[in-house]
Amino acid sequence: MEDQAAPSPAGDDGSAETRRSARSGVAGLLGAATSGLFGFVLAVVITRSYGPAGAGAFFAAIGVVTVATAICTLGAETGLMWALPRRSTGVRGDAARVLPVALIPPLLTGLLVAGAGVLAADALAPRLLRGSGASGDALLTVTFAAVPVVVTMTLLLAALRCVRPIRAYVGVQFLLLPVARPVLVGAAALAGGGLLAGMTGWLVPAALALLACLTLVAGPLGLGRGATLRPRRADWSTFWRFALPRAASAAIDAGSMWVGVLLTSVLAGPADAGVFGAVGRYVLAGQLAMQGLRVAVSPQLSRLLGRGERAAAAAVHRQLTTWGLVLSWPVYLLLAVFALAFLQLFGPEFTAGVPAMTVLALAMLVNTGVGNVQSLLLMGGRSGLHLVATVAGLTVTVSLGLWLIPHHGATGAAVAWAAGIATENLTAAGFARSVVREPLFDAAMVRAATGTIAGVGLAAGAGVLVGGRGLPGLAVALAVLLTGCVGMLTLPRVRAGIRGTMRQIRGGDNAAAAAEPTSASTRGR
């Protein structure tokens, strides 16, 4: 396995690790791009099929299953990402012993939550799924009933990422799930099905993904071939000492947007919740590049930090943060300037979300600018510090949301979430720097940020001057950006950088020369 390579030789300064992370990162980015495209298609299908009020109920139902799943997993998915790379796989390995430890408590919790939710669906539906009409009770019942399936799928996906090459994870998480969902939801809508049929179409791919993951992890872990599944007492204590603090922060992370949707639905109504949900789909789609990079290298970071190779881990972080910045910031800058154009694709009723889109897009510049500092904390075993950062962000989000949403609707929810995003990420960045004790930012990142802002700013300015902030202006800006990118390919320095990155990805003999150099202050620790 590419993520279970031997320790880097002395004096390597993280070059081998940055090459390895480059190969994994590209696979993760390609998968994230596909997921983002089909995630946008799904949002269009939902908003066009059900309108603002119906879409608000649909997004709220997704929020229920997402938040419930995050709570019920108890942090075990991150625990698997942390624990499995530090164990040996195969029939004689000790990795399989972790599965019962990680799966049994979350699955039992999921069954309890599902049962309680099904019993309380009649009382909860009028409050959580306003706009769902008479189908609200059945919609919430199906949503809660699916929680154990989604919990198991989430945990097996984490195991899959650790025991198979990343292409297997990409195939399930970034291809199967996002491609199947708009197809099935769209088919339900075309057949005249209501919200219940559409939500069923959204949930079915989770069951398919569960079966795929179970099949893929069985071989490497030696399941069914004699590998022991009986954990030792120390396995339970070691795993859950790490995972339990992550349980709360995982719920906060997964529910950060959906808390806003549910609060908006309760405090401002289903139409505002639908607008905020549509805006959130764009915001989360722009974050997929960072998500693809995070899942690509998390096992690698766990392995490096577990061996005390902090300099190599910091080098991997800096490289992938630069990549994520260059790929994500253009998306968020365009979303901020051309929010009207993007929301017009959902329908004229959703253009009320323009201020919310602008606020959140600017906040996400902070999120992507600091990189995956949360992964550094978690893979370094510091789940407690990560919990502190997420609680700080949630406190800001909920406090401001209760104050702003009743009077400002979706815009108030966006301001509250933006403040929470900035609080959580800046706090986590400070903690990560103190834990890793290596520079997490460098001159290359500053140059990348400056160049990205300048290039996208010029293109966006041209688009606004020629066509305004609607679809014509966006088309002009994209044309200018594309022309500029093609023109940059003629520069020798740009071509040399691309060749160096390709050598990293291929892992050729000259790749070491292309890897990011590490400053003298970070060597030998």
Side-chain angles (χ1 to χ4, degrees):
M1 282 179 53
E2 62 195 49
D3 291 332
Q4 308 237 0
S8 304
D12 181 63
D13 294 332
S15 296
E17 297 299 340
T18 54
R19 293 197 299 274
R20 189 172 295 115
S21 67
R23 294 193 291 273
S24 298
V26 168
L29 286 173
L30 292 175
T34 304
S35 180
L37 172 62
F38 283 93
F40 170 73
V41 172
L42 175 63
V44 172
V45 169
I46 293 173
T47 53
R48 289 287 185 178
S49 300
Y50 301 106
F58 201 118
F59 288 134
I62 295 175
V64 169
V65 72
T66 301
V67 174
T69 298
I71 293 171
C72 293
T73 53
L74 304 177
E77 77 284 12
T78 307
L80 285 168
M81 295 279 281
W82 170 74
L84 286 179
R86 304 175 185 223
R87 291 174 175 256
S88 57
T89 56
V91 175
R92 298 182 179 179
D94 60 349
R97 297 205 315 257
V98 179
L99 281 186
V101 176
L103 287 174
I104 292 175
L107 185 55
L108 292 176
T109 306
L111 290 171
L112 289 174
V113 169
V118 169
L119 293 176
D122 292 349
L124 293 175
R127 295 173 175 82
L128 295 179
L129 304 183
R130 294 169 63 187
S132 59
S135 64
D137 297 352
L139 177 61
L140 198 57
T141 298
V142 170
T143 298
F144 273 113
V147 167
V149 176
V150 182
V151 166
T152 308
M153 178 207 71
T154 301
L155 297 177
L156 290 178
L157 270 171
L160 175 63
R161 175 61 195 99
C162 296
V163 302
R164 288 276 189 181
I166 189 174
R167 59 181 176 271
Y169 178 91
V170 168
V172 178
Q173 174 69 25
F174 290 146
L175 293 178
L176 173 60
L177 285 171
V179 172
R181 278 173 170 161
V183 170
L184 295 180
V185 173
L190 289 175
L195 288 171
L196 179 59
M199 189 63 188
T200 302
W202 188 88
L203 290 170
V204 165
L208 300 177
L210 187 158
L211 295 175
C213 289
L214 186 59
T215 302
L216 289 169
V217 302
L221 291 178
L223 302 181
R225 296 186 292 116
T228 179
L229 286 171
R230 179 177 296 178
R232 299 173 181 172
R233 181 176 298 180
D235 293 330
W236 290 91
S237 59
T238 300
F239 184 89
W240 288 107
R241 194 162 49 243
F242 169 85
L244 281 179
R246 173 58 178 156
S249 61
I252 295 169
D253 285 344
S256 57
M257 169 192 164
W258 303 112
V259 166
V261 173
L262 295 174
L263 280 176
T264 305
S265 179
V266 172
L267 298 176
D272 276 286
V275 170
F276 183 72
V279 169
R281 300 304 296 183
Y282 275 121
V283 171
L284 294 181
Q287 197 178 8
L288 281 171
M290 294 300 294
Q291 180 185 355
L293 294 172
R294 175 180 58 80
V295 299
V297 302
S298 287
Q300 183 184 4
L301 289 175
S302 175
R303 175 172 50 80
L304 291 172
L305 293 172
R307 294 201 305 247
E309 297 183 35
R310 295 191 300 270
V316 169
H317 172 82
R318 290 192 298 269
Q319 172 179 271
L320 295 189
T321 299
T322 302
W323 285 21
L325 187 152
V326 170
L327 293 170
S328 299
W329 277 26
V331 175
Y332 287 121
L333 291 170
L334 290 176
L335 286 176
V337 176
F338 298 103
L340 175 63
F342 286 102
L343 290 172
Q344 283 175 336
L345 297 175
F346 290 154
E349 304 94 337
F350 291 88
T351 56
V354 168
M357 175 88 86
T358 301
V359 168
L360 284 174
L362 294 176
M364 294 305 288
L365 296 179
V366 178
N367 184 20
T368 51
V370 299
N372 283 315
V373 288
Q374 290 88 347
S375 292
L376 283 176
L377 287 175
L378 292 170
M379 296 302 103
R382 306 303 295 271
S383 53
L385 290 178
H386 183 264
L387 175 60
V388 172
T390 53
V391 167
L394 178 67
T395 301
V396 171
T397 298
V398 174
S399 300
L400 288 179
L402 292 173
W403 177 39
L404 295 174
I405 291 174
H407 301 290
H408 302 284
T411 302
V415 172
W417 190 20
I421 289 170
T423 300
E424 176 183 343
N425 282 275
L426 293 176
T427 303
F431 286 155
R433 177 64 178 87
S434 66
V435 168
V436 179
R437 299 198 296 275
E438 297 285 348
L440 302 182
F441 304 93
D442 59 10
M445 294 170 60
V446 175
R447 291 193 298 269
T450 303
T452 300
I453 292 174
V456 178
L458 289 174
V464 171
L465 289 175
V466 174
R469 297 181 184 271
L471 290 172
L474 175 61
V476 171
L478 292 175
V480 172
L481 272 179
L482 179 61
T483 302
C485 291
V486 172
M488 289 182 65
L489 293 177
T490 63
L491 300 177
R493 183 174 181 179
V494 173
R495 293 201 303 271
I498 293 174
R499 286 195 298 270
T501 301
M502 293 306 297
R503 284 196 295 269
Q504 282 186 296
I505 296 169
R506 290 193 299 266
D509 294 337
N510 295 325
E516 176 190 0
T518 307
S519 64
S521 63
T522 66
R523 296 179 182 176
R525 297 188 188 179

